[in-house]
Amino acid sequence: MRPEVGTDTEILQAYQDQTTTVEPGFRWIKNPAAIAPVWLEKPERIAALAMLTVIGLLVYSIIQRQVRLYLHTHGQQVPGNKGTTAIPTAAVVLSLFAQVALVQLWIDGQVVAQVYGVQAHHLLLCDALGLDSSWYAVPSVYKNGRCSQTP
């Protein structure tokens, strides 16, 4: 909404009425004193922190929106806090990747890689977010003196 369209009160109300933007992410901020313990001191630093917070909440919102839209469109579900869900929060989406690990080593001038913890829902989430999941498909690992395909 542009300033010439409505009063300041109407613009603020329209912003707060949005449920799919970053507004819900600001629930934890009660007043300007909420960031005082960070000891930023200078107004420029406080403004920078506020901008980074907004950008982070926008990214969080986009992740959540894209995943939910993809799951709904494709009739899929992913593990959630209480069983499978088609409407996970971004926090749930990000936490699902906590169990995935990529280990890379150099042995005799050769890169040896192993991916652990990848499950079908990880690849589904990569598709939902438009991310290249090919790094999950590490071609081979060095094991007992020979190369073998990893599951």
Side-chain angles (χ1 to χ4, degrees), residues 104-113 142 147:
Q104 288 185 311
L105 303 168
W106 279 92
I107 299 177
D108 297 329
Q110 178 181 349
V111 176
V112 178
Y142 189 82
C147 286

Side-chain angles (χ1 to χ4, degrees), residues 10-141:
E10 292 170 335
I11 292 171
L12 178 62
Q13 187 61 47
Y15 173 75
Q16 290 176 336
D17 288 342
Q18 298 178 84
T19 57
T20 60
T21 61
V22 299
E23 184 62 32
F26 283 107
R27 287 184 211 132
W28 59 274
I29 298 178
K30 301 297 182 195
N31 58 49
I35 56 174
V38 180
W39 304 102
L40 296 174
E41 297 177 8
K42 295 182 180 180
E44 299 85 21
R45 291 182 180 174
I46 293 172
L49 176 63
M51 179 58 79
L52 290 174
T53 301
V54 169
I55 290 170
L57 291 170
L58 282 169
V59 170
Y60 183 95
S61 180
I62 289 169
I63 289 171
Q64 187 168 286
R65 180 184 181 279
Q66 287 302 111
V67 169
R68 288 178 174 186
L69 181 62
Y70 184 91
L71 293 175
H72 175 74
T73 303
H74 292 85
Q76 298 286 327
Q77 293 188 338
V78 294
N81 292 331
K82 299 177 181 176
T84 60
T85 181
I87 54 168
T89 64
V92 167
V93 170
L94 296 173
S95 70
L96 287 173
F97 285 93
Q99 64 194 17
V100 178
L102 169 64
V103 179
Q104 288 185 311
L105 303 168
W106 279 92
I107 299 177
D108 297 329
Q110 178 181 349
V111 176
V112 178
Q114 177 73 50
V115 178
Y116 297 95
V118 177
Q119 297 180 25
H121 62 264
H122 294 113
L123 303 176
L124 181 70
L125 292 170
C126 285
D127 287 343
L129 295 169
L131 301 173
D132 182 11
S133 61
S134 66
W135 75 273
Y136 285 132
V138 176
S140 62
V141 296

